[in-house]
Amino acid sequence: MKPSEHLTVRGPEDILGFIPHSLGYWPADSLVAMTLQGNRLGATLRLDLPGPETLADPREYARTVRDYLLADENADAALLACFTNDGWMEPPGTYRGLLDALQTVLGAAGMPVRDAWYVGNSFWRDAFCTDPSCCPSPVRSVQAIRDSMINAEMVFRGSSVGPAPEDGAHTPPSLSGEDRAAVLASEATWAAQLDRRRGSREQFGQLMVQWEALLANVPGQPLPVNDVAFLRASLRVPAWRDAVLVMAAAGQAAALAGAEMFGIFDAGCILDPAGPALPGPLPSGLPASGAGLPGREPAGPDTKGMPGIPGYGEVLLGLDPVVPAWHTLNSLDEVLEQLSACGGQAGAAALTGRGWIAWCRGRGSYAAAYLGCALDEEPGYRLAELMLELVRRGTLCGWAARKEAAWRKFEPDSA
């Protein structure tokens, strides 16, 4: 959706129809809170609905919602939607105490609740209205939300509502048993070669060239088995895995500067680089495969990076660059989906990368699902643990928190 094009909200059906597009899926057993900036929709937050113990005293839950929404510094009001089938069992409703607490807490924070709704699988209704002339019984059909003008407009612009995170994170294997065995066997061979070259500047340079060329020319079909195996093997080296993420968002210079700062290069490692010639022409201006990256003296222990080039921490938290290379990150997400299919440590690395990209996009539920799958594949996988802690604390990626950098702003229209 282009930033200059605004959606017109005509009623609650439009607001509720926008939520699945904002999240990427139709939520269930969820509280969705949306900030308002005047008459414009702001950030969207989804949380699991609390259980009976929390509902008995929902004030702490309400304060958690408030703290998340305060990340939108321009918010001056809020909208709430409880996606549940228990919202109309008996007046005033199962979650009325929760909504009352949210009204009190958000109102005190300068974000008064303008409206709230219950949305079930088949029906929806206003959470506060008891006037039968305005909110008649039986309640309204969810089909009115699916048929809303906003939903139609979003679909026309190329937006789609996908599976829930817990389903979407589990990518069905696209490889046959025979191909999977071939990938794992080839991966083991590549891993043995790459392990001996962890300190090689030339190997690092070739990897960055190969990854960048691949992401500039993402194939429309599955990668060859040997290429999948090599790329998976490269992700098993944590420093290279991080460099791929940084390179995709901020370019090769940032990847190199960070690698030097962390001292991963060993001048004594003089083995020739290993690796297949991955498909697709090289991006303009890149050296030929095997040429590596430009030489430079290693950074000293107190060096924070080259002037004007962001460090790994700034990139991984979405603080720098001002706007990441979203097209390249989208390509990386597609490639990592293929690389995750065979599981194992490399699968955990690929899933963690997808979790990070989802977090950068502002899709915390998807991020948590991918990171959880990564930890299922490789319990204790450190980067997944660190990222999951950020997600669970409600920490926003810097790019997702700023509209001028947000992923949605750079998504092309389908028309």
Side-chain angles (χ1 to χ4, degrees):
M1 184 171 61
K2 297 293 180 64
S4 59
E5 298 174 320
H6 301 300
L7 298 167
T8 301
V9 174
R10 299 166 182 84
E13 295 94 338
D14 284 325
I15 295 172
L16 297 173
F18 177 74
I19 287 174
H21 290 278
S22 179
L23 296 175
Y25 63 99
W26 192 279
D29 298 318
S30 302
L31 171 75
V32 175
M34 303 181 74
T35 59
L36 287 172
Q37 301 169 359
N39 291 323
R40 300 186 63 181
L41 293 175
T44 304
L45 167 72
R46 190 215 68 88
L47 292 174
D48 290 340
L49 282 170
E53 184 175 336
T54 300
L55 286 175
D57 183 2
R59 289 174 296 180
E60 184 60 33
Y61 182 95
R63 287 191 286 267
T64 298
V65 174
R66 174 202 63 196
D67 291 345
Y68 287 154
L69 297 185
L70 285 173
D72 184 350
E73 297 178 355
N74 297 317
D76 55 21
L79 300 169
L80 304 174
C82 290
F83 284 78
T84 173
N85 287 316
D86 298 330
W88 40 74
M89 301 306 292
E90 58 183 57
T94 306
Y95 295 99
R96 184 53 189 263
L98 171 64
L99 294 177
D100 288 343
L102 286 164
Q103 277 190 303
T104 300
V105 171
L106 293 177
M111 294 179 287
V113 176
R114 287 195 187 171
D115 220 332
W117 304 274
Y118 291 120
V119 185
N121 292 338
S122 302
F123 303 103
W124 69 278
R125 72 173 176 87
D126 190 291
F128 299 137
C129 181
T130 58
D131 182 354
S133 65
C134 175
C135 303
S137 180
V139 287
R140 304 172 186 179
S141 171
V142 163
Q143 192 60 41
I145 298 173
R146 301 186 188 277
D147 293 339
S148 69
M149 291 297 294
I150 285 267
N151 183 58
E153 178 74 7
M154 293 298 292
V155 171
F156 176 76
R157 295 186 182 196
S159 178
S160 61
V161 178
E166 58 270 20
D167 299 323
H170 294 275
T171 306
S174 58
L175 298 176
S176 66
E178 182 179 353
D179 282 346
R180 184 177 187 277
V183 166
L184 294 178
S186 180
E187 178 186 332
T189 300
W190 283 121
Q193 295 185 52
L194 294 178
D195 191 59
R196 298 164 55 207
R197 294 166 168 82
R198 288 185 177 222
S200 168
R201 168 187 281 272
E202 289 300 307
Q203 183 67 69
F204 180 89
Q206 176 164 311
L207 278 171
M208 293 300 101
V209 167
Q210 289 174 311
W211 269 100
E212 188 162 357
L214 175 66
L215 298 182
N217 303 277
V218 175
Q221 56 189 5
L223 289 164
V225 165
N226 192 48
D227 294 349
V228 170
F230 173 75
L231 294 170
R232 281 173 54 89
S234 73
L235 293 179
R236 288 168 58 170
V237 180
W240 295 349
R241 172 206 64 201
D242 295 348
V244 169
L245 301 181
V246 169
M247 179 273 294
Q252 286 201 39
L256 172 61
E260 289 179 327
M261 184 183 75
F262 291 117
I264 74 167
F265 298 133
D266 178 3
C269 186
I270 57 174
L271 295 172
D272 290 336
L278 296 177
L282 292 175
S284 176
L286 288 182
S289 180
L293 295 175
R296 172 170 119 68
E297 289 299 315
D302 297 326
T303 302
K304 294 185 178 180
M306 298 170 65
I309 296 179
Y312 275 31
E314 287 81 2
V315 175
L316 294 177
L317 290 174
L319 304 176
D320 206 4
V322 174
V323 178
W326 281 121
H327 174 75
T328 309
L329 286 173
N330 292 342
S331 298
L332 177 60
D333 191 41
E334 293 181 34
V335 172
L336 293 178
E337 181 178 11
Q338 290 194 46
L339 303 188
S340 67
C342 290
Q345 185 185 73
L351 286 163
T352 300
R354 298 199 74 193
W356 176 70
I357 293 170
W359 181 69
C360 291
R361 291 170 172 170
R363 293 189 159 179
S365 297
Y366 279 104
Y370 286 128
L371 297 168
C373 289
L375 291 170
D376 288 341
E377 288 291 343
E378 188 80 4
Y381 195 73
R382 187 59 179 153
L383 183 57
E385 289 181 331
L386 293 172
M387 285 300 309
L388 190 56
E389 180 62 22
L390 283 177
V391 172
R392 286 174 173 169
R393 282 165 37 195
T395 304
L396 285 176
C397 173
W399 298 318
R402 293 185 293 107
K403 282 190 173 183
E404 64 273 18
W407 168 61
R408 279 289 191 188
K409 177 177 177 179
F410 298 91
E411 286 298 280
D413 291 343
S414 61

